[in-house]
Amino acid sequence: MAVRLAELAVPVIGAPMAGGPSTPELVAAVNRAGGLGFLAAGYKSAAGMAEQIAAVRKSTDRPYGVNLFVPAPPADPAAVAAYRERLRPEAERWGVALPEEIGPDRDDWEAKRAALLADPVPVVSYTFGLPTAEEAAALRAVGTLQVGTVTTPEEARAAQAVGMDALCVQGPEAGGHRGTHRVTDAPGELPLLELLSAVRAVTPLPLIAAGGLGDGAAVAAALRAGAVAVQLGTALLRSDESGASATHRAALTELPETVVTRAFTGRPARGLRNAFIDRHGRYAPPAYPEVHHLTAPLRAAATRRADTTAMHLWAGTAHRLARTGPAEEIVAELWRSARG
């Protein structure tokens, strides 16, 4: 089914939120509202991705998307080892073991691409980088529309050069990982509306605006700034169909501040500020996914305890505006407000 982003009945895209929040049910709910739902294939095997695609196909006959994490080169093992030693007393305090060795992890990139070539989906987006021009051409040949996540005009130029059909322009207000193309890059601070203008100056590709879009006024402003659609993530975290934990949902209204940190995964990510970030954020190396695997036992222990002082609680700057209820109604209300 051909997808034209500029022709969505409601120009809203459900952000692919890896680690559980994005569910097949959430994809279907965004679709029912007239938008475009997205699955997050990050952290899943190719088989796990295929299972979720099958579930989406049973629940909606409208187009949907799948997001892939682009693998990064291996990080400096010495920097990872130093961070391990810093975290070791914390791990001992909570009775968990940190991995002593972390092998290569390409997030099943090759197998996922093979699956999407053999059984194509309407839209594929990329985070943390771009496919090669040859890889992009292969998916284009099977009819898949491709979206590159960009955080700077330079990344936008690179995305156009490899053959992306559209760009997701991610501003610094966005919750979760910043989609910088290199792990070591410091994320830009140009606000979303200004970033949209800067990216529009270097490419004619359709732009999707992402970051801090929590109410109708923000959605309308992004569309006026040249986006053909907006991408909502944090705004849907408290919805009925979200896979976010009860603790995460509650923290969105209880914790006052967000901050960008490498503390949990080694990549810059915006989350609710807590004690773990304050203790370790400045020491975390630019090493992804190594730090993600290193801190996994600590994060799992904190989640079991519902300990918001040590959990990774991704959230955008508009997190206080996130509301409860069916995602279809949340999207519809935001769109009504934006139009009004």
Side-chain angles (χ1 to χ4, degrees):
M1 184 183 298
V3 181
R4 299 183 188 278
L5 296 175
E7 296 178 4
L8 290 173
V10 173
V12 169
I13 292 170
M17 296 177 283
S22 288
T23 63
E25 293 77 17
L26 183 56
V27 173
V30 173
N31 280 9
R32 287 195 300 274
L36 178 69
F38 252 89
L39 287 173
Y43 307 134
K44 297 185 182 302
S45 65
M49 177 189 75
E51 288 177 8
Q52 289 215 317
I53 290 172
V56 166
R57 287 171 172 164
K58 290 179 180 177
S59 56
T60 180
D61 58 1
R62 297 180 181 180
Y64 59 92
V66 175
N67 177 258
L68 301 179
F69 284 174
V70 179
D76 176 10
V80 176
Y83 195 47
R84 180 187 295 110
E85 291 311 306
R86 175 174 182 80
L87 296 177
R88 199 180 296 280
E90 190 143 348
E92 293 171 352
R93 184 161 56 251
W94 296 113
V96 299
L98 302 179
E100 295 299 325
E101 293 188 12
I102 300 170
D105 178 7
R106 293 178 57 79
D107 203 48
D108 221 6
W109 169 259
E110 288 79 9
K112 288 173 183 173
R113 286 197 68 258
L116 294 170
L117 287 171
D119 188 10
V121 299
V123 186
V124 165
S125 69
Y126 302 96
T127 301
F128 302 154
L130 298 164
T132 65
E134 293 75 19
E135 288 170 334
L139 270 184
R140 187 182 314 114
V142 297
T144 297
L145 183 139
Q146 294 171 89
V147 180
T149 302
V150 302
T151 64
T152 65
E154 292 72 26
E155 291 176 350
R157 289 193 187 96
Q160 179 174 312
V162 301
M164 293 296 98
D165 300 297
L167 305 178
C168 179
V169 180
Q170 188 197 48
E173 304 91 342
H177 285 107
R178 297 298 306 281
T180 53
H181 288 188
R182 289 180 294 270
V183 177
T184 54
D185 284 352
E189 298 181 358
L190 196 65
L192 175 61
L193 297 185
E194 295 178 40
L195 181 59
L196 283 167
S197 178
V199 170
R200 170 54 67 230
V202 303
T203 177
L205 292 176
L207 306 182
I208 301 163
L213 304 176
D215 58 20
V219 169
L223 295 173
R224 286 197 303 270
V228 301
V230 297
Q231 182 167 284
L232 304 181
T234 305
L236 299 175
L237 273 178
R238 298 180 69 211
S239 70
D240 294 349
E241 297 84 359
S242 164
S245 69
T247 305
H248 192 172
R249 291 165 183 261
L252 291 170
T253 62
E254 295 169 355
L255 299 184
E257 183 183 4
T258 65
V259 65
V260 176
T261 183
R262 294 183 187 267
F264 294 108
T265 70
R267 266 192 172 275
R270 182 174 293 280
L272 296 168
R273 183 177 179 180
N274 60 18
F276 188 94
I277 292 172
D278 289 343
R279 284 196 299 273
H280 304 299
R282 75 187 72 177
Y283 303 101
Y288 177 91
E290 288 85 354
V291 171
H292 163 76
H293 291 301
L294 180 63
T295 66
L298 289 170
R299 290 183 284 123
T303 299
R304 288 193 296 271
R305 302 191 307 269
D307 182 359
T308 58
T309 70
M311 292 173 64
H312 66 296
L313 300 163
W314 301 148
T317 56
H319 63 97
R320 287 294 193 100
L321 299 177
R323 49 166 286 204
T324 59
E328 181 179 357
E329 292 181 8
I330 294 171
V331 171
E333 175 55 34
L334 278 171
W335 180 229
R336 280 195 296 269
S337 177
R339 294 176 69 189

